[in-house]
Amino acid sequence: MAPLWIDRFEGLRGLDDDIRALLLARGRLVAMPKGTVAFGPGKRAENLLLMLKGSVRVQQVSDAGREIVLFRIQAGESCVLTAACLLAGQAYAAEGIAETDIEAVAIPQEVFDDLVARAPAFRNFVFSAYSKRMTDLFFLIDEIAFQRMDIRLAQKLLDLSQGQDSLRITHQQLSVELGTAREVISRQLLEFQRRGWVAQARGVVMILDRNHLIHLAAT
């Protein structure tokens, strides 16, 4: 493990030397290939995960099989859902899936509990990340409850395309991203296509008029 992995996390850089030494000594490097289920409903949290490389998609699945993406854990971030489970002593209520090959540092629960109790800087790191993610989730709830689907879809296409004109994604995957039915996405994409904003091929959405999508997303 690279000795300076801890410095990739802004909230951990100012820790006292003894706390840094403990994290470096007890942190364990883990690697998972793309597609691995990192955690799932009913499983107990055993380690705080600090992401070094890659992306984990955290999603909720209903009893009826409907899925919605809650958030993503990117490099330089901690898994706040795991932190919440460790703090509450509860099992996961959502699943995390590696979207890419990932590398992370696993901090054992006993070390996590010890540092939350006695290290204010570490405690601030945990709760600051938790607070930010809770704010993000409130925005998500607001979008689902009150925002039009065409606006949400336009914004999601812009976000996922990352400036590229071609986005490899299925209607089903978009429905999971937005927490709606696949048929709703298909109808809306057909309307975007009718307007000349996008074109579609199997598993691909091509953005033809980014400016109109940007304008719609901003309404």
Side-chain angles (χ1 to χ4, degrees):
M1 187 189 310
L4 295 180
W5 66 259
I6 197 170
D7 292 323
R8 301 189 194 183
F9 299 87
E10 184 176 354
L12 301 181
R13 294 172 189 161
L15 293 174
D16 292 341
D17 289 344
D18 61 328
I19 303 299
R20 288 172 59 90
L22 176 61
L23 287 172
L24 289 169
R26 296 295 305 277
R28 177 173 56 89
L29 182 65
V30 295
M32 301 179 194
K34 179 180 178 180
T36 300
V37 178
F39 52 81
K43 295 183 179 180
R44 305 290 296 187
E46 299 178 349
N47 303 277
L48 176 68
L49 293 178
L50 304 176
M51 190 71 62
L52 297 177
K53 177 183 177 182
S55 174
V56 170
R57 182 178 73 252
V58 179
Q59 63 185 35
Q60 182 79 47
V61 183
S62 73
D63 292 339
R66 287 276 295 275
E67 301 169 274
I68 182 171
V69 175
L70 301 176
F71 57 88
R72 286 175 167 83
I73 312 165
Q74 308 285 1
E77 297 179 340
S78 61
C79 179
V80 297
L81 180 59
T82 299
C85 292
L86 291 172
L87 289 166
Q90 296 180 343
Y92 288 104
E95 64 181 2
I97 301 173
E99 292 190 304
T100 64
D101 294 344
I102 65 170
E103 292 180 4
V105 174
I107 305 299
Q109 180 167 6
E110 61 269 23
V111 176
F112 173 84
D113 291 341
D114 175 40
L115 295 185
V116 166
R118 69 181 178 90
F122 182 81
R123 186 165 59 246
N124 288 341
F125 167 75
V126 171
F127 284 105
S128 292
Y130 185 79
S131 176
K132 179 182 182 304
R133 192 62 74 189
M134 285 298 296
T135 300
D136 292 342
L137 288 175
F138 279 121
F139 278 124
L140 176 62
I141 293 169
D142 181 76
E143 286 182 355
I144 293 172
F146 304 115
Q147 196 172 80
R148 286 173 14 208
M149 182 54 64
D150 59 342
I151 295 173
R152 296 181 61 214
L153 178 58
Q155 186 62 62
K156 185 60 65 174
L157 292 173
L158 293 169
D159 290 344
L160 293 178
S161 66
Q162 298 182 333
Q164 301 299 309
D165 291 333
S166 180
L167 174 61
R168 187 167 295 279
I169 195 167
T170 66
H171 293 194
Q172 178 61 34
Q173 288 169 325
L174 279 168
S175 74
V176 171
E177 291 285 342
L178 294 169
T180 189
R182 181 183 59 79
E183 293 77 11
V184 173
I185 297 299
S186 297
R187 286 196 299 269
Q188 194 60 65
L189 283 174
L190 280 174
E191 177 60 20
F192 285 0
Q193 183 170 299
R194 185 188 68 79
R195 297 181 185 183
W197 299 354
V198 305
Q200 301 181 74
R202 186 175 180 84
V204 178
V205 177
M206 291 158 283
I207 296 176
L208 304 180
D209 192 335
R210 185 175 297 272
N211 288 335
H212 270 97
L213 290 177
I214 292 172
H215 177 75
L216 176 59
T219 58

